[in-house]
Amino acid sequence: MDSLGYNEETIAAMELGLCGGIGPVLGRVLIEHFGSAVGVFGAAPAALLQILGISKKAHYNIIHSAKSNLDEARELAKLHTSLGICALSISDNRYPYRLRELADAPLCLYYKGEIEWDAPRILGVIGTRKPTPHGCEEAKKLVGEMKPFDAVIVSGMAYGVDAIAHKRALETGQITWAVLAHGLEKIYPAAHHAFAAQMLAGRGGLISEFPAGTKMHPDYFPKRNRIVAGLCD
């Protein structure tokens, strides 16, 4: 599993994200205070209570997870390994430096593909699901004009402008990444399976902060978009 990024620190960061009452902001505070995600689960219960903002629910869940040896995350890591899904924790030196600047950067990123996280130029292209003909042409033009700059094109694989951005990048031989609002064991919309496969074949990637089994929900789209913005220049 370690070959896909599932070392002890990553598994601990995954477990922290799974603990109810802990979001990415508090999770990061805990990791920085105790030196690592592993350190959070090794901390004394009294020491955890000293952290500003930690609730009784979060405190209980951390202690319970530590006693159960991070079982939920370990099982999830096995599932991800069987699906070819890689992981990268915020403690890893390879974690994208642009995204790390966000206070609510994900504790873990899950991904497929050969991703150069700190590529020199990364451009996010997000737009309406129902663009006008003029909008379609402008999106194609914008992405096509990025070819001389070797920019990675990042979008959300939605219908409309997102799909146009990915497809145009593929047509012009540019690398493109999709940030998804669900687990990476599936592609949504299903109609985009074909060009998702093209992306992976062309040194592109699929990215999510959501583990396998997470179903799409409207609340996840803003979360997805902050990652698109955070990854890009």
Side-chain angles (χ1 to χ4, degrees), residues 28 37 41 60 73 75 109-110 114 133 139 155 166 191 200 206 233:
R28 187 167 181 178
F41 291 104
Y60 170 82
E75 288 302 312
L109 290 172
Y110 304 109
E114 299 177 20
S155 195
H166 292 306
L200 292 175
L206 306 177
D233 297 300

Side-chain angles (χ1 to χ4, degrees), residues 18-133:
L18 294 169
C19 286
I22 301 175
V25 174
L26 178 56
R28 187 167 181 178
V29 168
L30 288 164
I31 290 172
E32 290 177 353
H33 180 85
F34 292 105
S36 66
V38 170
V40 174
F41 291 104
L48 291 169
L49 287 173
Q50 302 304 311
I51 303 300
L52 184 66
I54 194 164
S55 64
K56 290 182 179 179
K57 179 181 180 181
H59 182 259
Y60 170 82
N61 287 337
I62 291 172
I63 295 170
H64 176 75
S65 290
K67 287 181 178 178
S68 65
N69 194 29
L70 318 186
D71 282 349
E72 189 174 0
R74 293 187 192 282
E75 288 302 312
L76 190 58
K78 290 178 184 177
L79 173 61
H80 279 194
T81 300
S82 70
L83 296 168
I85 298 171
C86 303
L88 185 66
S89 80
I90 197 167
S91 301
D92 196 304
N93 290 334
R94 296 173 299 140
Y95 194 92
Y97 76 87
R98 297 172 178 91
L99 186 60
R100 198 190 293 273
E101 293 179 2
L102 295 184
D104 61 346
L107 301 182
C108 268
L109 290 172
Y110 304 109
Y111 66 97
K112 287 185 174 183
E114 299 177 20
I115 298 180
E116 185 185 352
W117 296 105
D118 295 332
R121 298 181 181 86
I122 307 177
L123 178 71
V125 181
I126 292 285
T128 178
R129 285 166 172 74
K130 296 181 179 180
T132 63

